[in-house]
Amino acid sequence: MSQRAPLKYNALPPGYTRLLRVLSPAPSLRCEIQEYATDDLPEYLALSYAWGTGQATESVSCGEQALQVTPNLYAALHEIGMKEEFANQCIWIDAICIDQSNGDEKAVEVKRMEVVFAQAQRVVIWLGPAAEDSDLAMYELEELRNIRSATSKNVKIEKNTRAELRLANHPVWPAIFKLYNRPWFHRLWVVQEIILAKDLTVLCGGRLLSWAAMVSFATALMSANSQVLVHHIQKLGRAAEIMTSCITLENLRHNRSSWFNLESFVYTLVVTRGREATNPLDHIYGLLGLASENLRKLITVDYTLTVAECYTRVCKIIIQLEPALWLLTMSSSEHRDPELPSWCPDLSSRSNETTAYAFYAGFKAGFLHQAVRRSRVEVFDDDRAIRVPGFRVDMVKNVAQMCLEDMAHELETSRSGLASQRWELECLRLVQEVSPALGDISEAYYRALIAGHFDPNTPVHLNKSLEQEYFNSRQSWSDVDRLVGSVFSSSATTDPPARYTRAIWTQRRYKFFNTEGGRLGLGPGSIRSGDVVCVFYSAAPLFTLRFDPLNGKATLIGCTYIDGLMDLDTMPEEVRGADEMFCII
């Protein structure tokens, strides 16, 4: 057989879309690609899959030409071609239906992807070839969903699982956890693809599974009694985070009609940080399908920009539009592009500190209870700096050398009690430095350790038993709290010490500090003596700034909690500095 010439794409006419059809899956994979008027498309499937880093080493015949694809995509096309229910159906696949070598076409088609996935008859999720007992996992997940559907959707997993599944050494447990850890679950693009889909089917190897079955299992496991989770915690790994993400995506999918606004888009940026994308710019472009029409008009898809140029440009647009300055709460991260200004989040990096301070209902540091939140940030096209209105409230005096995250290894060993006590003693040393004028030191201390909250939605209401709860909780670091932290909702337990322990661990990347004004608080891991704590008008949390004494410009360190200063209504007048415009670079 003569070797086919590489496929050459014709220019895609405006208003047209390419679709692929598998003609024969074996003995060699043969397909055809046709162009259709976008307003007259046949019914089609859309493929959601992981691009991966593999080279395009597999050849697919397209008439007299050959298309090179990755082994993973080749396997997906083969399995789709083998399924009778997919026979003769058109398929939209980004790597094939968009000419990836044509930057102009790519920019146009990327903006249309939300329409492609929203109009598809079904979105097929390809998890990859069968491996590591995936057939067993797929079968059991569907069976468990059938059992839950036949009983009650609220039945906990230990009550609806067959007896052999409950056995710790049953091979289905590692098989299921490995299935949830497959590369597809870590992709950024799947967020848009899942939320916009009419119908979803999961394909792994030759087995099909409903998306609802995967969500059902994740929901059951995440709401299960903690003993079940502790029993299998070492096997879970990142699967616990992924399962929670599946639940979040499904919730967004069912509420997508209310999601095309600026607040929702910013929240999407928050929950997708750390997800994998081949191009870091897709942490914005890959989510535009979830943005409002007005915002999409303001953002130009341009893959020639650097990461810093793209993120800074888009974040300047957002920060002028969204009133609550949520974007500034995202600035801290594990890794940062050094070219980014300090206020601009590196959206491709997992957040190093929690951004939940922005969403705590009890935090109103920068706005009055009934006030309309309106951003008055100044942004200039030719300047990396932004100017934010607000005032100073205090200065950091001394900071604990460690946070709980620093002692993660010790907390995962038998030395966990010693590690937590060592951290506690260092915090107490800072408490002893605080002026007695603060009032009840103990209440301020216990409240500061958890940033004023048991969970993101419930402010702590202190009472006489709180002190005893804390001293009980420090002895009960459980595997669940240590390894997966705030993944589990407060409904998982009603035990106060366990709830308090979980709340402390949620703040594990923050450092305890005291202030020149005699107060206690929690700040980002990079906070240090001399940093200034400020209020930004219209923002919920406090923020820490580090000023350059030579030019007066500031670096944004991150969100901060100080006991007694989180509500503008009740903030003591004497702590409020004069209004000023902070120049943040």
Side-chain angles (χ1 to χ4, degrees):
M1 184 185 218
S2 59
Q3 187 173 3
R4 288 179 168 82
L7 177 68
K8 291 186 178 179
Y9 287 90
N10 296 320
L12 187 65
Y16 275 75
T17 299
R18 296 189 188 94
L19 294 175
L20 173 143
R21 193 191 310 268
V22 178
L23 301 178
S24 172
S28 62
L29 187 58
R30 293 189 299 109
C31 301
E32 66 175 9
I33 301 174
Q34 293 186 345
E35 297 171 358
Y36 297 87
T38 302
D39 58 2
D40 190 27
L41 292 173
E43 288 188 346
Y44 65 93
L45 308 173
L47 187 67
S48 178
Y49 69 106
W51 273 48
T53 56
Q55 298 297 312
T57 57
E58 302 295 322
S59 181
V60 178
S61 298
C62 294
E64 298 302 316
Q65 297 179 313
L67 174 67
Q68 297 300 117
V69 298
T70 63
N72 185 48
L73 183 50
Y74 186 94
L77 290 170
H78 172 79
E79 294 295 349
I80 289 173
M82 295 293 289
K83 293 296 177 188
E84 185 175 345
E85 62 185 281
F86 299 149
N88 298 316
Q89 284 199 267
C90 293
I91 314 168
W92 189 90
I93 304 172
D94 55 359
I96 296 176
C97 297
I98 299 176
D99 181 358
Q100 299 296 321
S101 66
N102 186 329
D104 292 337
E105 178 182 314
K106 187 176 177 181
V108 172
E109 293 302 300
V110 163
K111 277 201 167 184
R112 288 195 62 256
M113 284 183 66
E114 75 275 9
V115 177
V116 171
F117 277 88
Q119 293 182 348
Q121 179 189 19
R122 184 188 305 184
V123 172
V124 178
I125 298 168
W126 169 247
L127 296 184
E132 300 180 309
D133 288 328
S134 59
D135 285 352
L136 172 64
M138 297 280 282
Y139 172 77
E140 293 287 359
L141 287 172
E142 191 65 62
E143 286 296 297
L144 285 170
R145 179 172 185 263
N146 293 337
I147 294 172
R148 293 188 84 221
S149 298
T151 54
S152 167
K153 291 183 179 180
N154 296 319
V155 175
K156 292 187 182 297
I157 196 166
E158 62 267 35
K159 293 183 180 179
N160 64 25
T161 308
R162 292 177 299 174
E164 63 269 22
L165 187 60
R166 291 199 296 268
L167 298 176
N169 60 352
H170 194 281
V172 72
W173 283 108
I176 289 176
F177 297 151
K178 288 175 182 176
L179 187 71
Y180 279 93
N181 262 320
R182 289 209 171 202
W184 179 87
F185 290 97
H186 302 274
R187 284 187 65 235
L188 173 79
W189 281 95
V190 306
V191 175
Q192 175 176 270
E193 295 162 2
I194 295 303
I195 293 176
L196 297 174
K198 294 178 185 175
D199 188 28
L200 290 158
T201 297
V202 181
L203 177 62
C204 183
R207 283 191 172 272
L208 289 169
L209 175 70
S210 65
W211 167 253
M214 301 207 75
V215 175
S216 178
F217 177 83
T219 302
L221 188 63
M222 291 298 98
S223 61
N225 185 282
S226 61
Q227 280 83 348
V228 175
L229 297 172
V230 170
H231 196 65
H232 300 286
I233 196 69
Q234 295 296 341
K235 301 174 186 176
L236 269 170
R238 281 199 68 189
E241 178 183 338
I242 296 301
M243 289 179 185
T244 302
S245 179
C246 288
I247 299 168
T248 300
L249 289 179
E250 185 64 6
N251 290 337
L252 299 182
R253 182 167 167 256
H254 282 290
N255 294 286
R256 61 178 178 263
S257 60
S258 62
W259 267 79
F260 297 94
N261 57 58
L262 187 61
E263 176 183 343
S264 299
F265 185 69
V266 174
Y267 178 73
T268 305
L269 294 177
V270 172
V271 299
T272 56
R273 294 185 71 171
R275 281 185 173 269
E276 297 171 1
T278 305
N279 190 324
L281 303 191
D282 287 336
H283 279 271
I284 290 175
Y285 300 154
L287 299 171
L288 282 181
L290 304 177
S292 66
E293 184 177 353
N294 289 337
L295 182 59
R296 288 202 300 270
K297 289 179 180 178
L298 295 173
I299 298 176
T300 301
V301 176
D302 185 353
Y303 281 96
T304 66
L305 297 176
T306 67
V307 171
E309 288 172 339
C310 175
Y311 288 3
T312 304
R313 183 177 299 182
V314 172
C315 287
K316 277 187 174 183
I317 294 171
I318 293 174
I319 207 169
Q320 293 177 87
L321 297 176
E322 60 102 356
L325 304 182
W326 288 310
L327 199 72
L328 298 185
T329 70
M330 301 167 59
S331 61
S332 299
S333 58
E334 292 178 352
H335 307 287
R336 284 184 58 81
D337 186 317
E339 297 301 315
L340 284 171
S342 66
W343 60 265
C344 182
D346 189 332
L347 300 172
S348 63
S349 179
R350 188 179 300 276
S351 177
N352 196 38
E353 282 92 23
T354 178
T355 58
Y357 284 11
F359 303 98
Y360 283 5
F363 288 178
K364 301 185 289 291
F367 60 98
L368 297 175
H369 185 62
Q370 299 296 333
V372 175
R373 298 169 77 169
R374 184 179 297 108
S375 173
R376 294 186 287 116
V377 174
E378 294 180 359
V379 173
F380 303 94
D381 291 338
D382 58 349
D383 191 352
R384 287 161 46 89
I386 60 173
R387 290 157 181 81
V388 184
F391 56 88
R392 309 183 191 207
V393 294
D394 214 332
M395 179 179 290
V396 177
K397 184 177 181 180
N398 290 313
V399 182
Q401 295 181 4
M402 301 176 292
C403 60
L404 285 177
E405 183 81 348
D406 297 332
M407 299 180 293
H409 175 70
E410 292 182 65
L411 289 170
E412 292 175 11
T413 68
S414 59
R415 294 176 291 174
S416 62
L418 292 175
S420 60
Q421 289 176 28
R422 185 154 48 87
W423 164 76
E424 179 193 351
L425 288 173
E426 186 171 8
C427 294
L428 287 171
R429 175 180 58 81
L430 297 182
V431 173
Q432 293 171 354
E433 298 175 358
V434 172
S435 167
L438 181 63
D440 190 339
I441 296 290
S442 62
E443 287 194 0
Y445 173 52
Y446 305 133
R447 194 160 40 212
L449 286 179
I450 57 174
H453 285 71
F454 276 116
D455 60 55
N457 300 309
T458 308
V460 169
H461 297 289
L462 291 174
N463 54 52
K464 293 181 180 179
S465 65
L466 183 60
E467 181 173 352
Q468 188 58 45
E469 284 185 17
Y470 171 68
F471 283 107
N472 289 339
S473 71
R474 67 174 183 167
Q475 304 298 325
S476 61
W477 297 100
S478 68
D479 285 339
V480 173
D481 287 308
R482 286 206 311 272
L483 299 181
V484 292
S486 60
V487 165
F488 305 103
S489 69
S490 58
S491 62
T493 177
T494 58
D495 178 59
R499 285 189 292 118
Y500 197 84
T501 298
R502 181 175 292 112
I504 291 176
W505 186 247
T506 301
Q507 318 297 327
R508 63 192 177 277
R509 295 188 179 99
Y510 271 57
K511 285 187 175 179
F512 190 82
F513 67 88
N514 60 24
T515 72
E516 294 290 350
R519 297 183 178 272
L520 303 173
L522 280 181
S526 57
I527 197 170
R528 67 190 189 200
S529 177
D531 289 344
V532 178
V533 182
C534 305
V535 164
F536 293 168
Y537 282 122
S538 84
L542 298 171
F543 290 87
T544 297
L545 297 177
R546 185 170 299 150
F547 288 90
D548 186 328
L550 298 179
N551 58 27
K553 296 180 179 180
T555 298
L556 179 61
I557 306 303
C559 298
T560 303
Y561 171 89
I562 292 183
D563 184 61
L565 301 183
M566 303 306 293
D567 189 334
L568 191 57
D569 275 327
T570 60
M571 187 178 294
E573 189 65 32
E574 63 270 16
V575 307
R576 296 184 56 165
D579 282 1
E580 57 183 300
M581 292 293 290
F582 299 113
C583 180
I584 306 174
I585 57 175

